[in-house]
């Protein structure tokens, strides 16, 4: 099993880094959920029960996608009702916000990535039972997830960051503890977090029309 993980760890590490960086830099829940689904499939290759992890990840994304659709419909209804807002104003504000935040987020992702690399390769925090690339994949998911969690108060975005942290923990823990009971418990935790995120997002936006 460890030999298989070692072979898959390097391409998974590259994919994990790209998806985690995109989640931190992108806006728009549809694209971010698509990237999150790809990330779940990548991390599933590092599990002994890969099919279980892949199914759980896709179901989590489906739950969030349904909630995101409901939130999007509520926002559109609120924007249509707000006739006092000049046409195109909200879109322009979003473009300006995106342009000003993108350089900061890019630098933050780079700094967190470098710090994580140093933490794993030089500081002795890597788990000796796992290959270096697998350690990097797990720690990158945790640190970049915490970065996404800390950069926003919006429930969906913060929730995606929290799910990334959980995935990072699973990448580090699952190869060591291969019990199906642990896999079931981690799946239950992911479903619970996804439901909580959906509830908070709907509670915040449905019928209120508030922007992220």
């Amino acid at each position: 099993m460890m030999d298989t993980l070692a072979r898959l760890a390097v391409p998974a590490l590259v994919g994990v880094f790209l998806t985690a960086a995109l989640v931190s830099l992108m806006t728009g829940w549809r694209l971010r959920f698509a990237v999150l689904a790809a990330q779940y499939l990548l991390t599933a290759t590092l599990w002994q029960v890969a099919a279980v992890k892949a199914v759980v990840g896709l179901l989590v994304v489906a739950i969030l996608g349904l909630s995101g659709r409901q939130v999007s419909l509520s926002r559109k209804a609120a924007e249509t009702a707000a006739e006092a807002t000049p046409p195109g104003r909200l879109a322009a504000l979003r473009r300006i916000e995106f342009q000003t935040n993108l350089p900061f987020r890019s630098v933050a992702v780079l700094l967190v990535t470098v710090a994580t690399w140093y933490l794993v390769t030089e500081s002795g925090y890597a788990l000796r039972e796992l290959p270096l690339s697998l350690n990097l994949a797990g720690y990158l998911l945790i640190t970049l997830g915490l970065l996404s969690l800390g950069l926003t108060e919006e429930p969906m975005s913060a929730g995606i960051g929290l799910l990334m942290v959980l995935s990072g923990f699973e990448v580090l823990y699952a190869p060591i503890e291969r019990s199906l009971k642990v896999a079931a418990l981690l799946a239950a935790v992911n479903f619970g977090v996804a439901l909580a995120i959906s509830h908070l997002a709907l509670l915040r936006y449905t019928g209120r029309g508030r922007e992220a």
Side-chain angles (χ1 to χ4, degrees):
M1 178 61 184
M2 285 299 178
D3 292 338
T4 303
L5 290 177
R7 290 194 299 269
L8 295 175
V10 173
L13 170 62
V14 176
V16 163
F17 170 72
L18 292 176
T19 55
L22 286 173
V23 165
S24 301
L25 298 175
M26 291 168 51
T27 58
W29 61 268
R30 291 181 180 86
L31 292 176
R32 298 182 79 183
F33 289 164
V35 173
L36 184 64
Q39 187 180 100
Y40 272 118
L41 294 177
L42 286 168
T43 56
T45 62
L46 305 176
W47 273 56
Q48 185 179 16
V49 283
V52 173
K53 175 60 179 175
V55 170
V56 169
L58 293 178
L59 287 176
V60 166
V61 174
I63 292 171
L64 296 178
L66 291 173
S67 300
R69 178 176 176 79
Q70 183 62 41
V71 168
S72 179
L73 292 175
S74 298
R75 287 178 173 180
K76 288 179 181 178
E79 290 173 3
T80 302
E83 297 179 356
T85 303
R89 181 179 177 185
L90 292 177
L93 287 175
R94 286 197 192 107
R95 286 196 296 270
I96 295 174
E97 182 180 359
F98 178 77
Q99 291 170 355
T100 55
N101 284 343
L102 182 60
F104 168 75
R105 286 176 176 264
S106 301
V107 171
V109 167
L110 179 61
L111 291 176
V112 168
T113 302
V114 172
T116 303
W117 183 281
Y118 175 81
L119 180 71
V120 175
T121 60
E122 303 293 338
S123 299
Y125 285 97
L127 299 179
R128 297 181 180 180
E129 298 86 353
L130 302 180
L132 177 62
S133 52
L134 196 59
N135 273 282
L136 285 170
Y139 278 106
L140 277 173
L141 280 171
I142 292 173
T143 54
L144 290 177
L146 289 174
L147 176 65
S148 296
L149 186 61
L151 287 177
T152 182
E153 296 180 354
E154 196 274 323
M156 283 290 186
S157 299
I160 290 175
L162 181 56
L163 289 170
M164 286 172 57
V165 173
L166 289 175
S167 292
F169 171 76
E170 292 171 2
V171 166
L172 296 175
Y173 187 70
I176 299 174
E177 178 54 64
R178 306 175 188 178
S179 171
L180 290 178
K181 293 181 180 179
V182 172
L185 178 61
L186 292 173
V189 170
N190 276 275
F191 284 131
V193 171
L195 292 174
I197 294 167
S198 299
H199 174 72
L200 291 174
L202 292 173
L203 187 65
R204 178 172 181 177
Y205 294 116
T206 302
R208 299 186 185 184
R210 293 180 58 182
E211 292 295 321

